[in-house]
Amino acid sequence: MTVDRNQARMTLLRALDNASYQDPYEYWEPAYLETGLTELQLVDAIRNLSEKGLIEALHSLGDQGLAASRITALGQDFINDLDRYSSDSNLGSLARAGITIHHNTTTIADSTVGIVSSGGSSNTFSGTVTIIHHPQADALRRGFQDFDAALAQAATLDEDEKDEIRQNVQVVCKELAKPPEDQRQEVIERRWRRVESLTVVAAPLLEIASTIGKALLMAHGAG
């Protein structure tokens, strides 16, 4: 599917909004946001959104515009009340694109785990857990699949909480797919602690999360 410029910009903005739940002050490199956008789309989105004041971009010398960024307070207000900005001369077209994406059935890549669709209920990550470089790779794959299934059935969690959990799991899976020497253990541990804190109200899910967490703490090596 061809993603137009405003759709691409909204995808990045939503990705940064989701990422801000983990650390409101952190600047996020595009590679860690899982937007599904091309480098050209990302450069265009970063430039446009930063000029509008919806994000802050942290440029380094000669980076060609593919900068780390974070959402601003204005960007968060914008996402949470798109209708309010639909007639704004500066933000109207972007707001209308966001409203369209939210209400239609188009499926686009976003920063939450897997593929985000209008209904939300199809969000999964187990299908993406294919490469894991870890001594307990097989056990982790099974654990993630069990966790995925249990998360879908967890009635004590709302969809926003589930989406945040999925986002954190995806970040962990992405780290585990890297060669062991490139994996950021502090990111894996921090993200998984957040997963466990969010699943406290869902006992069966917390039990699986705790089992996965113990495996993740093992020393890394060839999976």
Side-chain angles (χ1 to χ4, degrees), residues 18-50:
N18 287 335
S20 72
Y21 284 102
Q22 308 312 311
D23 187 341
Y25 298 104
E26 184 170 346
Y27 286 86
W28 296 86
E29 295 179 14
Y32 295 109
L33 294 173
E34 294 293 335
T35 61
L37 300 175
T38 67
E39 182 172 331
L40 184 61
Q41 288 172 322
L42 285 165
V43 170
D44 177 75
I46 291 169
R47 180 195 60 79
N48 180 272
L49 295 173
S50 61

Side-chain angles (χ1 to χ4, degrees), residues 89-105:
S89 59
N90 185 40
L91 299 173
S93 60
L94 185 60
R96 289 189 291 273
I99 293 168
T100 300
I101 291 170
H102 179 74
H103 289 297
N104 70 14
T105 57

Side-chain angles (χ1 to χ4, degrees), residues 16 19 23-30 32-33 55-59 67-72 184:
L16 290 170
D23 187 341
Y25 298 104
E26 184 170 346
Y27 286 86
W28 296 86
E29 295 179 14
Y32 295 109
L33 294 173
I55 69 172
E56 294 177 341
L58 187 63
H59 292 278
S69 55
R70 66 184 180 189
I71 194 168
T72 63
R184 300 176 299 169

Side-chain angles (χ1 to χ4, degrees), residues 3 6 15 21 30 34 62 66-67 69-71 76 81 95 108 114-115 118 134 162 172 197 206:
V3 180
N6 279 324
Y21 284 102
E34 294 293 335
L66 193 59
S69 55
R70 66 184 180 189
I71 194 168
Q76 291 173 320
D81 193 3
I108 61 173
I115 298 298
S118 61
H134 191 280
K162 290 182 180 181
V172 170
S197 72
L206 177 60

Side-chain angles (χ1 to χ4, degrees), residues 156-219:
T156 54
L157 295 168
D158 62 32
E159 284 305 313
D160 286 342
E161 291 169 325
K162 290 182 180 181
D163 281 344
E164 184 179 349
I165 289 170
R166 292 183 181 107
Q167 178 193 357
N168 281 285
V169 175
Q170 177 64 16
V171 171
V172 170
C173 291
K174 181 170 182 176
E175 289 296 320
L176 293 173
K178 297 177 181 178
E181 63 272 15
D182 294 334
Q183 293 178 19
R184 300 176 299 169
Q185 187 63 22
E186 73 282 1
V187 172
I188 293 173
E189 293 177 6
R190 174 167 57 87
R191 294 284 186 155
W192 203 257
R193 284 197 301 271
R194 179 58 177 163
V195 168
E196 290 180 331
S197 72
L198 288 166
T199 58
V200 167
V201 297
L205 197 59
L206 177 60
E207 183 176 352
I208 300 172
S210 297
T211 300
I212 293 173
K214 292 175 183 177
L216 289 172
L217 290 175
M218 293 187 62

